[in-house]
Amino acid sequence: MAEPAPLSIGIDFGTTNTVIAVAGDDGRAEAVTFRHGEAELKGFVTALCYWQERAGGRVTTRVEGGPFAMDQLMAGGGPQRFIQSFKTFAASASFQETRIFGRTTRFEDLVVDFIGTASRRAGRPLDLSAARVQIGRPVRFAGTHPDEALAMTRYRAAFGRLGLPDAHYVYEPVGAAFFYARALDHDATVLVADFGGGTSDFSVMRFERKDGRLAATPLSHAGIGIAGDSFDYRIVDAMVSPALGKGSSYRSLDKVLTVPNRYYANLARWHQLAMMKSNGDLAGLRDLEKVALEPEALRRFIDVVDYDLGLALYRAVSEAKVALSSADEAQFRFVADDVSITGTIARADFEGWIAEDVARIGATVDEALARAGVSEKAIDRVFLTGGTSFVPAIRRLFTDRFDAERLTQADQFESIAYGLALIGREPDAARWAA
């Protein structure tokens, strides 16, 4: 039987943040940190910023990742291309490539550039090719009709170029389950619920102690492309979009028409707003403002795009969502330049906005149990991880099905990466792969 690699690395490649963990000879896992200003970060924002620099008559395209990409975006100073949450493109057949300063760029190129910048910015040397590497993947990829085979082909191509042709791809909730199960002192059937930015994934696992080692049998997996980002957008759609003119009207000849909703679809992701400057949408809004019955609302929308206020807007949304996890109401406040949108959000209203999303998540939990062939009573423990697990409506989803004593909740978003790294210490690590 082969010995474990001397070093094991787990990569939780996330929609919003990416965490890299390392497990060594002592059997402990620790997160790779990134120095950003005075802060030591354990998560690297899943974002890229490309820009061009001219020196000595030559133009060079440069790239930064994580929080450094966001710094570059905010600094401005020239043509830039900012890309975030590109994991959501992995399973999309409609996304074939994008052009970045004339260069054809595919999903694989984005992954290579991103992991390259993360490795360069890491607080410790990362020689991926010399380690056993486990890479997290969702149970169900994001998108309306995700193509799993396409996504995995792209993953393997990207990480193969990074010197990892033999990497193991492990369901993200399985990584979280392995991390959690180390603390079990008895045999147990565990439901793991992993709430990320783009997907919510569920695994039912049977853990048993055999000859002093942890043995696990995966019973089922299920996932859905609804998670924290979806909840953010519900707040945007209810609180922000109306203040930016959604539902308002404009005059065209002798008709009064409604401003097209397609402009407001750009608000689903804050970084998409910057694209409105080049895809014709901003020009369209300027034309509509001239004939709008409520031009001041469209003017606010134009300012949000013009002055790159998308990041600040979504920070305000996130703050309100977090506040609603511990209070019956929260103040929404977004004030930047000449744009001011404020109001009170009642938790009851928020839960109404996300009710359909929560119901679909609940149906996915039921699917995981049905595939495992177990009832709710047969689940010994429920392990919840990810920030969205603190949303009261999500917690009720589980307390309604399982008594509160069976629930364990963790807010440390490193748990998946830790579990992935620890799996690599197992002599039979390959059997944990999806």
Side-chain angles (χ1 to χ4, degrees), residues 67 110 122 134 145 154 173 188 241 260 266 282 291 296-297 350 389:
L110 298 174
Q134 290 66 233
H145 301 289
R154 288 171 167 173
S241 294
N266 291 302
L282 182 58
V291 293
E296 65 282 356
F350 173 60
S389 66

Side-chain angles (χ1 to χ4, degrees), residues 55 104 169:
T104 298
Y169 296 89

Side-chain angles (χ1 to χ4, degrees), residues 42-57:
K42 292 184 177 180
F44 203 67
V45 177
T46 309
L48 288 165
C49 186
Y50 296 86
W51 74 99
Q52 291 189 315
E53 293 183 350
R54 183 182 297 274

